[in-house]
Structures are given as structure tokens and as C-alpha cells.
Amino acid sequence: MTEDARDEVDRLVAAWRTERPDLDVEPLQVLSRVSRLAKHLDRARRAAFAEHDLEPWEFDVLTALRRAGKPYELSPGALLRATLVTSGTMTNRIDRLAQAGLVRRRPDPEDRRGVLVSLTETGLARVDAAFSDLLRRERELLSGLGPADQRTLAALLRTLLTPLRLPPLTLRAPSPSDRPPFIVR
């Protein structure tokens, strides 16, 4: 590999191989690059959202509603499952998005105790614009790879991530059996 083709991770790995030849530092070849890429992606996401006056959490809620399809409406419980936050956090987020005019609540016609949350026209326009901008920025991040390489990378990352999936969020109250047993000494 020529010096021009080497990157910071190559130099980091070489230094660790010199300093700790007893360790297999090969995982750094992949995961240090993934970590660096994640930082670039986070910056691109934040820039896309900021350009459209959105915080990352706002984008998450709005895109969950947008992906639901017309009428872009979900129950708070469905939003919880889509965004993996607690009910208190979701209530706060819905309140703030409603105050900003991006979502509205209405009674659920099928459950008198429930409500449905839907995108307003402003919310729909804002999330669509932010999503388009995000995709443009993500394409820029991937511009060094052709379509076939992007598909290969996606498949490899899927293989790596599959065993790491989070368990589904449960929406039940903890039972006594969920608590660790008391230890009596």
C-alpha cells in the first residue's frame, strides 16, 4: 500500500502493532473506520436537520409519522415503538412538536381513551425537505463507492449488525419477577 493510500487508521494500527505486538489489533481496521464514518454521518445529519430547523429527535418522530403513509398518523404507542423512547419522553416530544405546529393530536375514533398524532402540512413539508437534504448529504459520503460496492458494504454491515439487534421494546409494567432477588446475609 502506498503512503498516499494509507489513512489515519492504518497509522493507528501500525503504531499499536509496534507497541503491542502481543495483541491482535485487526478489529481496528474495520471498527475504527466505522466509528470515524459514524462521526461524519452524525455531522451530516445534524447539518441537514439544522438547515430545516429540526433537532435529531424531531426528525425521528416526524419521519416515523411520514413512513406510516397517508394520513401520516400514529398512536403515541406506535411512535414509542418506532423511536425507542419512554412514554414520558414521547409525551414531551409530541407536546413540543404540537407547539411548533409540526404535528397535531386528535381523538382516536376506535379507542375513546386514545389519541392519534399526525403530521401537519408544515410538518410534512419540513420532514420531506430535511429527508431530501439528508439523502443528498449521505450520497456525498458514499460518493467514493460505486453502486455495486455500496450494495456489498450494505450486505456486510447487515451481517455484522444482525446479531446485535436490540430486543423489541416492551410496553408492560415490570413484574416482581423482573426484579433481582434479595440477598440475605
Side-chain angles (χ1 to χ4, degrees):
M1 180 180 307
T2 67
E3 187 59 35
D4 288 343
R6 292 171 48 94
D7 66 4
E8 182 60 30
V9 173
D10 290 321
R11 289 184 280 281
L12 179 140
V13 168
W16 277 119
R17 284 188 176 137
T18 299
E19 293 301 314
R20 291 296 309 268
D22 57 312
L23 294 177
D24 175 12
V25 296
E26 200 60 26
L28 295 175
Q29 292 282 5
V30 173
L31 298 178
S32 288
R33 287 184 175 94
V34 168
S35 177
R36 283 164 163 59
L37 182 59
K39 289 176 185 172
H40 288 284
L41 178 58
D42 185 58
R43 277 191 226 126
R45 289 175 60 90
R46 289 181 182 279
F49 305 155
E51 192 167 303
H52 300 280
D53 204 23
L54 292 171
E55 293 292 329
W57 66 265
E58 291 172 311
F59 183 81
D60 288 346
V61 175
L62 297 176
T63 55
L65 291 166
R66 181 64 169 98
R67 287 190 311 268
K70 284 186 177 184
Y72 313 118
E73 186 171 78
L74 293 170
S75 69
L79 284 169
L80 284 172
R81 289 185 293 280
T83 60
L84 300 176
V85 298
T86 66
S87 61
T89 298
M90 183 53 66
T91 297
N92 181 291
R93 290 179 176 185
I94 293 168
D95 288 345
R96 292 173 64 187
L97 289 167
Q99 288 170 356
L102 301 175
V103 302
R104 73 174 138 278
R105 287 185 179 96
R106 71 177 184 91
D108 185 340
E110 296 179 22
D111 178 359
R112 291 187 342 185
R113 297 169 296 151
V115 298
L116 294 172
V117 179
S118 60
L119 287 174
T120 62
E121 287 184 27
T122 301
L124 178 62
R126 182 102 50 97
V127 73
D128 278 354
F131 187 55
S132 294
D133 191 26
L134 173 62
L135 289 174
R136 179 185 57 77
R137 292 167 191 266
E138 288 181 350
R139 276 191 292 279
E140 288 172 12
L141 286 174
L142 292 170
S143 64
L145 297 176
D149 287 339
Q150 288 181 35
R151 286 189 297 276
T152 299
L153 179 58
L156 291 169
L157 291 170
R158 183 181 307 107
T159 299
L160 187 62
L161 288 170
T162 296
L164 304 176
R165 285 188 196 154
L166 292 173
L169 183 66
T170 57
L171 299 176
R172 65 172 178 79
S175 71
S177 63
D178 292 336
R179 291 188 215 121
F182 290 102
I183 299 174
V184 179
R185 296 184 193 221

